[in-house]
Amino acid sequence: MNTFGRIYRITTFGESHGEGIGGVIDGMPAGVAVDMDFIQAELNRRRPGQSDITTGRKEADKVEILSGVFEGKTTGCPIGFLVRNTNQHSQDYENMRCLFRPSHADFTYQQKYGIRDYRGGGRTSARITISRCVAGAFAKLVLRQMGIEVYAYTSQVGGIALDTDYKKYDPALIETNAVRCPDMVKASEMEALIRDVKAAGDTIGGTVTGVVKGCPVGLGEPEFGKLHQLLGSAMLSINAAKGFEYGLGFSGLEKRGSEQNDLYDVTAERKGKTLTNNSGGIQGGISNGEDIYFRVAFKPVATQLREQPTIDMDGNPTILKARGRHDPCVLPRAVPIVEAMAAITILDAVLMRNSESKNHNFNS
């Protein structure tokens, strides 16, 4: 399955060391002004080689829009796009041709398909998330006209973690440092840890926190298609994602219902609003108008620039020391991907809610 979404859908194609990465966006409303500077800026946030704590691969990641945009506006037709690969070092992966990296998809792809592209991981590479960021950028163009804001930030690297209350942090600070953390002290500690891990040829994981503000009431379905289910599916489809929680999540298990329930504000100006938001903006699978907030856990990158015991394609034990350019921590570049998948999911839910009107012109 290479397609995500129900009405607003993205179909992706490409491999890490192929000719390029691209996709087709279906369901984009017509008449939306297309800000190409914004779309390229969103891609630049995901781009490799942007700091010394990310992969050293240098790519311009310049997006080419092939269809679906005319005179600066979306036409309602499929939006085709392409980002060409220009800086592949395929020879760096020659020693992985017949070996399986531990905890990587090498083994499972080989077993499932009987063939795999070992160059940079092929289709398993995080480079394919370029397509998600393009689709997410288009989705953000629609959502911001509706007053819906989506942002994310690095909230933990290894044992260095921020407070779980997202309201304590200014989102304007997220892009002021390489790790994309809105706490300057913690950001410095996280960067230092990633550099130490990188110097040792190792990797480390952490969490990204996502926030959706201005979300209307009524998104999501009561049974299958719950909004948190859709968000969880979106986040767990991202490379290296290992866990998803929203609202209080697992920490709520320590509380009693009397402590955790979101009581209603009885003041006239906040009719229908709640005094707290432990539910994370979703109740019964449907958005309740409060902020939606969630966390995504990412594992350490499987590819190690140090020796590891492994097996070859015949099952024989051997030693692998990977070469090539790899992220020591996915968190800094995962932030825009989390935002993109959240934006795609929320716009899709909005269009599902509005689908009965049969009106696909955004400006009508």
Side-chain angles (χ1 to χ4, degrees):
M1 175 60 72
N2 298 293
T3 300
F4 180 83
R6 299 165 297 176
I7 293 180
Y8 186 76
R9 300 189 303 275
I10 171 66
T11 299
T12 73
F13 67 84
E15 296 86 29
S16 178
H17 286 219
E19 291 300 315
I21 308 294
V24 176
I25 301 169
D26 279 309
M28 180 71 182
V32 178
V34 177
D35 184 344
M36 286 304 302
D37 289 337
F38 171 75
I39 292 171
Q40 187 60 54
E42 290 292 278
L43 267 184
N44 292 346
R45 296 172 65 214
R46 195 224 67 93
R47 186 173 60 192
Q50 54 189 274
S51 75
D52 65 344
I53 61 172
T54 64
T55 173
R57 181 170 177 171
K58 300 292 185 181
E59 293 278 3
D61 283 358
K62 181 70 174 176
V63 62
E64 304 171 33
I65 304 299
L66 307 178
S67 64
V69 177
F70 180 67
E71 295 183 341
K73 292 185 177 181
T74 58
T75 64
C77 298
I79 297 173
F81 61 88
L82 175 67
V83 174
R84 299 181 187 276
N85 294 327
T86 62
N87 191 229
Q88 309 96 309
H89 289 181
S90 299
Q91 67 277 5
D92 290 344
Y93 297 87
E94 189 61 35
N95 69 326
M96 301 183 199
R97 177 190 288 268
C98 299
L99 304 181
F100 298 132
R101 284 170 284 181
S103 287
H104 199 277
D106 294 340
F107 175 81
T108 52
Y109 263 59
Q110 186 69 41
Q111 296 301 306
K112 182 176 178 66
Y113 299 108
I115 187 173
R116 65 184 172 91
D117 185 347
Y118 61 87
R119 305 166 305 164
R123 187 70 173 155
T124 71
S125 171
R127 186 154 178 75
I128 65 169
T129 58
I130 285 173
S131 301
R132 301 167 183 238
C133 288
V134 175
F138 273 96
K140 283 183 177 182
L141 291 176
V142 182
L143 293 178
R144 70 184 183 185
Q145 294 187 46
M146 301 172 59
I148 301 175
E149 178 187 8
V150 179
Y151 69 87
Y153 59 89
T154 298
S155 50
Q156 183 170 349
V157 174
I160 303 169
L162 272 59
D163 192 290
T164 56
D165 185 359
Y166 68 94
K167 296 188 294 296
K168 292 184 177 181
Y169 303 103
D170 182 358
L173 298 177
I174 295 170
E175 294 295 323
T176 62
N177 57 81
V179 78
R180 294 195 166 91
C181 171
D183 182 309
M184 297 300 99
V185 174
K186 294 288 188 180
S188 180
E189 295 175 4
M190 290 174 180
E191 289 182 35
L193 175 58
I194 294 172
R195 289 191 182 96
D196 288 345
V197 167
K198 181 179 179 180
D202 213 331
T203 59
I204 196 162
T207 65
V208 169
T209 292
V211 181
V212 182
K213 302 180 76 69
C215 190
V217 180
L219 302 187
E221 309 302 326
E223 180 59 14
F224 304 110
K226 291 179 170 66
L227 188 57
H228 60 267
Q229 168 203 333
L230 300 174
L231 282 169
S233 175
M235 298 308 148
L236 292 173
S237 73
I238 301 172
N239 306 53
K242 299 294 284 186
F244 170 82
E245 62 177 357
Y246 71 102
L248 285 187
F250 289 107
S251 65
L253 301 177
E254 303 171 4
K255 298 181 180 292
R256 299 188 179 188
S258 57
E259 300 174 288
Q260 186 172 177
N261 283 353
D262 294 315
L263 303 182
Y264 290 100
D265 192 329
V266 296
T267 59
E269 62 272 16
R270 283 184 52 83
K271 185 177 181 180
K273 297 291 186 178
T274 55
L275 295 171
T276 56
N277 187 20
N278 297 322
S279 301
I282 303 171
Q283 293 172 329
I286 300 172
S287 61
N288 66 0
E290 302 290 343
D291 291 347
I292 296 171
Y293 63 96
F294 57 88
R295 287 164 296 280
V296 188
F298 289 90
K299 71 171 185 175
V301 175
T303 305
Q304 303 280 295
L305 298 181
R306 58 197 297 177
E307 289 189 350
Q308 283 193 103
T310 188
I311 59 172
D312 62 22
M313 291 175 63
D314 295 320
N316 301 311
T318 186
I319 298 294
L320 169 66
K321 183 175 182 180
R323 298 192 296 266
R325 299 161 297 179
H326 307 277
D327 286 293
C329 178
V330 302
L331 276 299
R333 296 173 63 215
V335 167
I337 303 167
V338 166
E339 288 183 11
M341 294 307 294
I344 291 168
T345 302
I346 295 299
L347 177 57
D348 190 40
V350 169
L351 295 176
M352 283 292 293
R353 185 195 64 175
N354 297 343
S355 62
E356 291 181 1
S357 69
K358 307 298 183 185
N359 189 342
H360 300 289
N361 187 332
F362 182 73
N363 289 325
S364 294

